[in-house]
Amino acid sequence: MTSNVENRTSLPIVVVFGRPGSGKTTILEKALEMANQELGEFDCMGLDLDVCVPQWMKDNFSKGIYPTLQERIEFADSACAYVDSCLSKRTNNIDHNIDHNIGCEKPSTKLSTIISFSFVNNDLRDTFRKRFPHAVWLLIDTNEKEAMRRINAREGHFYKGKPKDGAGNPLSEELKTTDKDSLTNVADNSDWKFDSVDFPHFVLDGTAPVNENSQRVLEALCDAVTTIQC
């Protein structure tokens, strides 16, 4: 018998990922709007996993201090649990509406999801892919210079990198981490570069218009929906 967890992990899921500042959140919001207009019986949910980033990690990001491997693994597990919880709640709401015909003449009967997150490291991606193996991944391809320009122009973005002095040189910061044992081995968090992607995925031009990339995301979601229905 198929478990509820297995049912949720096989739902149509599209992951929009890319380096911080690539425009993922904007594309997610527009694609979600388009999906809910065009996907008919499918109820589309959008999840931005930035909400899962704990405050201490955001504070460290602002100082140019990046999470260790162990901290990333723990974060990935918690983010997967958050997604699974959201899918479970939304699915239960859909089932409740169907049973009671609440709020509409023809309630949505199925759920699809668009997820947005940077997924900078391969270990983060691997954890998520194991938990949600049917997800379709779309990379928003934006170069580092353009991504940082967007981050610096965005008010309140927690990912600003290491503070700089008046000459533009990074300020020295004492390494701080919640994982005390890792202080003696910082090789796995001394740099925060976007890892190359070594699994099947689609590539979207991060400089293309938002509507164009959002349409590509919607098309990928429609294909995922069709695959699940078959």
Side-chain angles (χ1 to χ4, degrees):
M1 183 176 178
T2 303
S3 69
N4 289 335
V5 171
E6 288 173 332
N7 283 334
R8 290 195 293 274
T9 59
S10 64
L11 290 169
I13 295 175
V14 165
V15 178
V16 178
F17 74 118
R19 63 175 81 247
S22 61
K24 302 179 297 295
T25 301
T26 304
I27 292 171
L28 165 66
E29 292 171 350
K30 184 61 179 179
L32 183 63
E33 176 187 332
M34 298 165 68
N36 282 322
Q37 291 174 350
E38 300 184 28
L39 279 185
E41 66 175 323
F42 272 82
D43 177 41
C44 189
M45 176 172 63
L47 298 176
D48 186 343
L49 300 190
D50 278 355
V51 301
C52 299
V53 180
Q55 189 59 49
W56 66 262
M57 191 179 288
K58 293 180 180 180
D59 292 342
N60 278 351
F61 273 130
S62 69
K63 301 172 186 176
I65 301 172
Y66 309 118
T68 63
L69 176 60
Q70 182 59 38
E71 289 167 346
R72 295 198 302 268
I73 291 173
E74 292 172 1
F75 168 79
D77 286 339
S78 67
C80 286
Y82 169 76
V83 171
D84 191 59
S85 174
C86 289
L87 292 175
S88 176
K89 290 177 182 178
R90 192 69 165 253
T91 301
N92 289 340
N93 286 342
I94 289 173
D95 291 342
H96 178 77
N97 288 351
I98 292 172
D99 289 341
H100 297 84
N101 197 24
I102 296 174
C104 55
E105 294 181 1
K106 184 180 179 182
S108 296
T109 59
K110 300 174 184 177
L111 177 64
S112 61
T113 308
I114 304 173
I115 291 172
S116 169
F117 192 62
S118 55
F119 287 104
V120 169
N121 302 99
N122 280 321
D123 45 83
L124 295 174
R125 301 166 190 166
D126 290 345
T127 298
F128 197 88
R129 292 178 67 227
K130 288 177 182 176
R131 188 71 166 266
F132 303 99
H134 299 288
V136 177
W137 292 67
L138 290 89
L139 171 65
I140 311 300
D141 188 19
T142 307
N143 64 51
E144 186 174 2
K145 182 178 180 180
E146 172 62 16
M148 286 308 301
R149 183 193 69 77
R150 295 178 182 179
I151 288 173
N152 290 330
R154 182 174 166 184
E155 187 69 26
H157 198 294
F158 65 83
Y159 186 89
K160 293 284 186 180
K162 184 171 290 189
K164 294 180 173 56
D165 60 20
N169 300 312
L171 294 174
S172 176
E173 282 276 351
E174 179 184 358
L175 179 64
K176 297 178 182 178
T177 175
T178 58
D179 183 2
K180 301 302 181 183
D181 293 337
S182 69
L183 289 173
T184 58
N185 181 14
V186 297
D188 66 347
N189 78 327
S190 61
D191 203 0
W192 190 248
K193 293 187 180 296
F194 192 82
D195 286 342
S196 59
V197 185
D198 59 1
F199 57 85
H201 65 286
F202 297 96
V203 179
L204 279 61
D205 181 357
T207 64
V210 171
N211 282 359
E212 179 179 321
N213 279 334
S214 299
Q215 182 62 39
R216 292 280 304 278
V217 172
L218 178 60
E219 290 170 359
L221 187 63
C222 289
D223 288 343
V225 166
T226 301
T227 299
I228 294 299
Q229 286 179 322
C230 293

